[in-house]
Amino acid sequence: MDKTINNKAWFLVLPVFLLVAFSAILPLMTVVNYSMQDTFGNNQFFWNGVGWFKELLDPSTDLGGRFLASLGRNLIFSLAILAIEVPLGIVVALSMPRDGWTVAFCLVVLALPLLIPWNVVGTIWQIFGRPDIGLLGYTLTSMGIDYNYVSNDLDAWATVIVMDVWHWTSLVALLCYAGLKSIPDAYYQAAQIDGASRWAVFTAIQLPKMHRVLLIAVLLRFMDSFMIYTEPFVVTGGGPGNSTTFISIELVKIALGQFDLGKAAALSLVYNLIILIVCWVFYTIMTNADAERRPAEGGA
């Protein structure tokens, strides 16, 4: 029998396309337009072509130097966040109970940091880390530790990293816990019969079963940490100096502080492209590794 195709069904998704075009495509085209022009105000624009992009990728220029420096800070921050939050989230998920009323209690406690808005998180840690009235800052100062995130680069970095770990480790832990809950009890029973150690159970059963949720967790945490803006801006303002000035903060300084719309548009496009490429490369590598691991497990 010939299959009947009803193309009228496409009209049902037409509102979605219109919404996406209005909220994403049209603003993106506006940014592309600004990135190829220059302006002296009064809505007078002059064609500049790819001039802003050449200046952005040239380390000898002021724009290029600022971009590459902030890009390096972003990469260091994202790698530090992933190195801390992913193992810590796995440990927290493994430590959570599997049944009983304590499960709901632990899930609620873990979800609490995720419910706090980003600007509120920054304000909390801005006060919490102050050496005069903040609990953390006052405690460290009382212990003889010269802690001041306003004037010390290392203290500022430590504060921003610990703040992000406190805020987002719960997300990794919840995803890992969901992966652990999906493991059938028969796996654990077979491991117990074989006399497998706790480490063997983790490496042979739990970690492989958490592979997909860990992939999602790493992708989400990389994208979010690479695009971070509100928390470090509220806490340190990008300082001291430019030590915590990430690309997002640099972009706002150029767009709103200097009102260089062309430079800011070019920077935002390159910024977005870097995120897309890195995420695509990472996802491709992980999925290919997963595809190679499955035949090996099947043959074993």
Side-chain angles (χ1 to χ4, degrees):
M1 297 178 62
D2 295 334
K3 184 178 179 180
T4 303
I5 300 177
N6 185 5
N7 292 322
K8 295 180 180 179
W10 287 101
F11 287 101
L12 297 176
V13 297
L14 183 60
V16 177
F17 284 112
L18 294 177
L19 180 62
V20 172
F22 179 77
S23 61
I25 298 178
L26 293 180
L28 179 61
M29 292 298 101
T30 303
V31 174
V32 172
N33 181 43
Y34 282 156
S35 68
M36 296 184 179
Q37 300 190 59
D38 192 8
T39 179
F40 297 118
N42 297 325
N43 288 327
Q44 296 181 359
F45 292 90
F46 308 92
W47 180 256
N48 192 38
V50 295
W52 296 129
F53 294 96
K54 291 181 179 179
E55 184 176 348
L56 181 66
L57 301 177
D58 186 0
S60 61
T61 63
D62 176 67
L63 179 62
R66 293 167 62 180
F67 166 68
L68 294 177
S70 58
L71 175 61
R73 288 188 287 268
N74 259 110
L75 292 175
I76 294 174
F77 177 77
S78 297
L79 292 177
I81 288 301
L82 292 177
I84 297 174
E85 292 184 4
V86 174
L88 184 59
I90 295 175
V91 172
V92 172
L94 292 173
S95 304
M96 292 177 60
R98 296 293 183 267
D99 50 24
W101 66 270
T102 54
V103 174
F105 176 77
C106 292
L107 292 177
V108 171
V109 172
L110 283 177
L112 286 178
L114 303 177
L115 301 177
I116 304 176
W118 297 328
N119 57 336
V120 177
V121 172
T123 304
I124 291 174
W125 279 84
Q126 182 189 42
I127 300 174
F128 185 58
R130 287 185 56 174
D132 51 352
I133 62 173
L135 179 60
L136 174 63
Y138 182 79
T139 302
L140 294 178
T141 303
S142 301
M143 295 171 58
I145 301 176
D146 186 16
Y147 169 80
N148 194 331
Y149 65 83
V150 177
S151 59
N152 187 281
D153 296 354
L154 183 60
D155 293 344
W157 268 89
T159 303
V160 173
I161 290 177
V162 172
M163 174 182 60
D164 194 89
V165 170
W166 172 82
H167 192 194
W168 290 109
T169 301
S170 299
L171 176 63
V172 181
L174 291 174
L175 290 173
C176 293
Y177 184 76
L180 291 174
K181 289 289 289 183
S182 65
I183 301 176
D185 293 335
Y187 284 73
Y188 296 108
Q189 296 171 0
Q192 186 177 7
I193 294 174
D194 294 338
S197 63
R198 186 69 185 86
W199 176 253
V201 172
F202 172 71
T203 55
I205 297 177
Q206 294 174 326
L207 188 60
K209 292 299 181 181
M210 288 191 298
H211 180 267
R212 291 185 177 276
V213 294
L214 281 176
L215 172 63
I216 297 174
V218 172
L219 283 175
L220 291 177
R221 289 308 305 127
F222 171 78
M223 288 188 295
D224 189 69
S225 62
F226 198 77
M227 297 185 297
I228 190 170
Y229 168 76
T230 306
E231 296 96 319
F233 180 78
V234 173
V235 175
T236 65
N242 291 321
S243 58
T244 57
T245 301
F246 302 116
I247 298 181
S248 56
I249 299 178
E250 195 72 68
L251 177 60
V252 173
K253 287 182 178 180
I254 296 175
L256 301 181
Q258 304 172 198
F259 204 70
D260 288 333
L261 298 182
K263 294 180 181 180
L267 176 58
S268 63
L269 290 176
V270 174
Y271 188 20
N272 186 40
L273 184 62
I274 292 174
I275 296 174
L276 292 177
I277 291 177
V278 173
C279 291
W280 177 80
V281 170
F282 177 80
Y283 181 79
T284 302
I285 293 175
M286 294 297 293
T287 50
N288 289 340
D290 186 39
E292 294 175 359
R293 183 174 56 86
R294 287 182 178 178
E297 292 179 350

